[in-house]
Amino acid sequence: MPSDDGLAALALVSFDAGQLSASLPDGESPVTVAVEQIREAAAGLSGDGVQVYTAGPAATTADLVSAFGGIDGTLLLVAGVAVLLILLVVYRSPVLPFFVLLTAGFALTTASLVVYLLADADVVTLDGQGQGILSILVVGAATDYSLLLVARYREELRRHDDRYDAMRRAWRQTLEPVAASAATVVLGLLCLLLADIGPTRGLGPVTAVGIVSAVLAALTFLPALLVLPGRTSPGEHGRWVFWPGIPRVGSRGPEVTGVWARVARLVGRRPVAVGVLSTLVLVVLAAFAPTLDTGGVSQTDTFLDRVESVVGGEALARHFPAGSGSPTLVVAPESELAAVTSAVEAADGVSSVVPTLDDGGQPRVSDGRVQLQVTLDDAADSPPPRTPSPRCAPTWTPSTATCWSAGRRRRPSTSGSTRRPTGTGSSR
């Protein structure tokens, strides 16, 4: 398909959208492999002032897979180093931070095993995004719960000579707040089960398993790590894990001195006043919620480098309507082809409407329906206008079409359907 200015040509390649979540025997995505093969084949066409780019949704997906490949390990390493530095500052001990990190690692291992079994049994849907979120969530939650248990244990060691007795009391005091916090988080995460998108829906139970694993590790594995080192006799044995700030019986801890101790006493004396004031502050902050921009960013803006799909998309926009690389498909009854075509052409943001043709050059008919390829003026992931004003042809009541404004779908039909193909456009 040549451009109007005669400086570029466009070739569209359609993919089965169901292949996006599929995997080849080697674990690779069939769409990603196909895009790589297209790029290798198209590389020989470049030269003599001709540039060939592979762009469109499929190419963007392939570039995203390449950009995020191996990011799970990087995220986990960065999170581990950050947690270690914070714990070194908080505990001022060379031993305790590693106990907490071991607990987080145990929790992550447990969660990964359970999630693997659930995904293998097709109970949950797991993708790369879910794996990355699970790692960070489990490390953060396990560290949070461990901090509370360690703080309570250190307090009880100042009151009890026997570390086992101190741990029993600390564990009981920690159980209720940790369980309540975890239950709240789990219930919130399970709300993702109401999502329409499969990977997002699967993210709910996956992350809920992570939170449960963090609780179990913090309340079972960590207590064992804290009390087992040292001999079984009372006294200083087993307290060396807090070195150099060893909590001795009868000593005063930071929980009874300092700023936070005064804050705690204030809350204890005036709980109602503090509660009302805290609520007012939260209400003031919540008043800014309507200013939140939920439009997000386009897929091309997620790349830090100038990947081929971005450069190719810009080339498409220079020579073709911005939506050329990702045409919208409108499915309509064959008997209403002319009426649907007129209605779609009259909609704002539509550049062109052409039916999908068969080998004989006629509109392809399947089960009494035809398919229209609608090219929009704007890119498929462009933000909608703040004051949309969709319009359709007033002489026809759309039963199978959709109205657009500024390249975005505005009013879906009640009996027809629209869908976007996962296509790859090559411009040169």
Side-chain angles (χ1 to χ4, degrees):
M1 180 189 301
S3 62
D4 292 337
D5 58 15
L7 299 178
L10 172 66
L12 289 175
V13 179
S14 297
F15 288 86
D16 183 356
Q19 296 297 316
L20 279 175
S21 57
S23 297
L24 297 173
D26 59 358
E28 294 287 337
S29 167
V31 174
T32 301
V33 172
V35 170
E36 292 174 353
Q37 293 175 347
I38 292 174
R39 284 174 171 170
E40 291 176 0
L45 301 176
S46 298
D48 297 331
V50 176
Q51 294 291 332
V52 180
Y53 304 102
T54 305
T60 301
T61 300
D63 288 337
L64 284 172
V65 171
S66 176
F68 286 95
I71 196 173
D72 290 347
T74 303
L75 284 175
L76 190 58
L77 177 61
V78 171
V81 172
V83 170
L84 177 61
L85 294 177
I86 294 173
L87 292 177
L88 287 172
V89 173
V90 171
Y91 288 134
R92 299 181 179 89
S93 168
V95 180
L96 270 179
F98 292 97
F99 279 27
V100 175
L101 285 179
L102 281 174
T103 302
F106 181 78
L108 181 57
T109 302
T110 304
S112 299
L113 175 60
V114 174
V115 170
Y116 170 79
L117 295 176
L118 293 176
D120 188 56
D122 293 329
V123 177
V124 299
T125 302
L126 182 65
D127 59 1
Q129 179 186 18
Q131 296 177 39
I133 293 176
L134 176 66
S135 301
I136 301 303
L137 183 66
V138 171
V139 171
T143 302
D144 188 24
Y145 301 146
S146 299
L147 283 172
L148 181 57
L149 178 67
V150 172
R152 289 288 179 262
Y153 180 49
R154 181 158 52 185
E155 291 177 8
E156 295 301 325
L157 285 175
R158 300 181 189 278
R159 303 187 182 101
H160 302 280
D161 187 56
D162 186 358
R163 66 180 185 274
Y164 296 102
D165 187 29
M167 177 54 72
R168 281 191 292 269
R169 294 174 180 271
W171 192 89
R172 294 192 190 100
Q173 295 175 10
T174 305
L175 176 60
E176 183 177 345
V178 167
S181 173
T184 303
V185 176
V186 167
L187 291 176
L189 292 172
L190 290 179
C191 290
L192 292 174
L193 289 171
L194 303 176
D196 295 328
I197 303 176
T200 302
R201 185 168 56 250
L203 192 61
V206 167
T207 50
V209 168
I211 294 297
V212 173
S213 300
V215 172
L216 293 177
L219 295 180
T220 58
F221 184 74
L222 181 59
L225 284 180
L226 292 174
V227 300
L228 287 181
R231 289 179 288 178
T232 57
S233 58
E236 299 299 325
H237 304 297
R239 298 170 184 250
W240 62 270
V241 297
F242 291 94
W243 185 86
I246 298 176
R248 294 178 170 83
V249 177
S251 61
R252 291 169 57 87
E255 66 274 7
V256 296
T257 60
V259 175
W260 295 113
R262 291 194 292 271
V263 172
R265 288 193 290 269
L266 173 63
V267 174
R269 289 194 306 268
R270 300 178 179 274
V272 176
V274 172
V276 171
L277 180 61
S278 300
T279 302
L280 291 177
V281 172
L282 292 175
V283 169
V284 171
L285 295 177
F288 293 92
T291 64
L292 176 65
D293 184 8
T294 58
V297 297
S298 64
Q299 283 189 326
T300 57
D301 291 334
T302 61
F303 295 102
L304 297 179
D305 300 324
R306 300 276 296 171
V307 297
E308 184 175 348
S309 61
V310 173
V311 178
E314 293 174 350
L316 281 174
R318 288 195 300 269
H319 301 286
F320 297 91
S324 298
S326 180
T328 297
L329 300 184
V330 177
V331 179
E334 180 185 10
S335 59
E336 299 186 38
L337 174 60
V340 172
T341 301
S342 299
V344 175
E345 288 177 338
D348 293 336
V350 173
S351 175
S352 64
V353 181
V354 294
T356 301
L357 305 179
D358 56 20
D359 295 338
Q362 300 298 318
R364 180 179 298 168
V365 181
S366 177
D367 296 331
R369 294 178 178 271
V370 292
Q371 177 179 277
L372 298 176
Q373 295 192 20
V374 182
T375 301
L376 308 179
D377 293 332
D378 298 307
D381 57 353
S382 60
R386 295 189 178 274
T387 56
S389 57
R391 62 181 176 85
C392 286
T395 59
W396 178 75
T397 302
S399 60
T400 54
T402 299
C403 296
W404 290 266
S405 179
R408 296 300 292 259
R409 188 160 57 94
R410 299 304 308 169
R411 185 167 61 248
S413 64
T414 56
S415 62
S417 61
T418 64
R419 59 187 180 93
R420 296 187 188 276
T422 304
T424 298
S426 297
S427 175
R428 63 190 180 104

